[in-house]
């Protein structure tokens, strides 16, 4: 399974914010850190905000932070939100749809995929490899507080 760029950006944003849970982060900062378009990132952050994954603070010293602790955000839950949990293939219109054995196998594989992802949180991803959080912290603007939400 290949994840969409949207899901990739959503996961990267949450990892970035989790590594900087002591302060607010500006869109421009996150975009610069990952070399992502600010326009794309605004759409992702808006959606993540509506879903409660991130919270925004408006104003001159505003920015974004996680909407809840990183240890409570399951990776599978996030990807179900961004990707949906639809079937891997579209069977509508297929002559074999009524008796095919492929769909149940693909559904089982998808369930296994999400089961593994559900066993990890965003905090796990940040803490999983020694030095990873330091790598994340070295990205982008190191100074706190720049920009409005």
């Amino acid at each position: 399974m290949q994840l969409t760029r949207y899901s990739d950006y959503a996961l990267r944003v949450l990892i970035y914010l989790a590594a900087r849970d002591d302060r607010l982060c500006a869109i421009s900062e996150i975009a610069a850190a990952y070399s992502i378009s600010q326009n794309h990132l605004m759409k992702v952050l808006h959606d993540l905000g509506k879903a409660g994954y991130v919270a925004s603070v408006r104003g001159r010293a505003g920015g974004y932070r996680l909407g809840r602790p990183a240890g409570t955000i399951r990776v599978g839950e996030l990807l179900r939100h961004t990707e949906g949990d639809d079937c891997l293939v579209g069977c509508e219109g297929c002559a074999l749809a009524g008796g095919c054995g492929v769909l149940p196998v693909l559904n089982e594989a998808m369930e296994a995929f999400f089961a593994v992802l559900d066993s990890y949180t965003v905090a796990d991803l940040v803490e999983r490899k020694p030095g990873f959080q330091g790598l994340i912290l070295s990205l982008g603007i190191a100074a706190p507080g720049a920009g409005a939400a």
Side-chain angles (χ1 to χ4, degrees), residues 3-4 8 23 96 98 105 107 111 125 130 133:
L3 298 177
T4 61
D8 177 35
R23 67 177 180 85
L96 302 174
V105 172
N107 286 339
E111 288 174 22
L125 299 181
Q133 185 166 4

Side-chain angles (χ1 to χ4, degrees), residues 95-145:
L96 302 174
C100 179
V102 174
L103 186 58
V105 172
L106 292 177
N107 286 339
E108 182 181 347
M110 183 80 106
E111 288 174 22
F113 175 75
F114 280 116
V116 170
L117 293 173
D118 283 335
S119 70
Y120 293 98
T121 66
V122 170
D124 294 330
L125 299 181
V126 171
E127 300 163 2
R128 188 167 169 83
K129 279 190 105 168
F132 184 58
Q133 185 166 4
L135 177 63
I136 299 166
L137 291 172
S138 72
L139 296 175
I141 302 166

Side-chain angles (χ1 to χ4, degrees), residues 47-59:
D47 180 53
L48 293 176
K50 285 188 344 185
Y53 292 109
V54 299
S56 64
V57 175
R58 293 188 176 274

Side-chain angles (χ1 to χ4, degrees), residues 10 22 35 46 113:
D22 60 332
S35 299
H46 178 72
F113 175 75

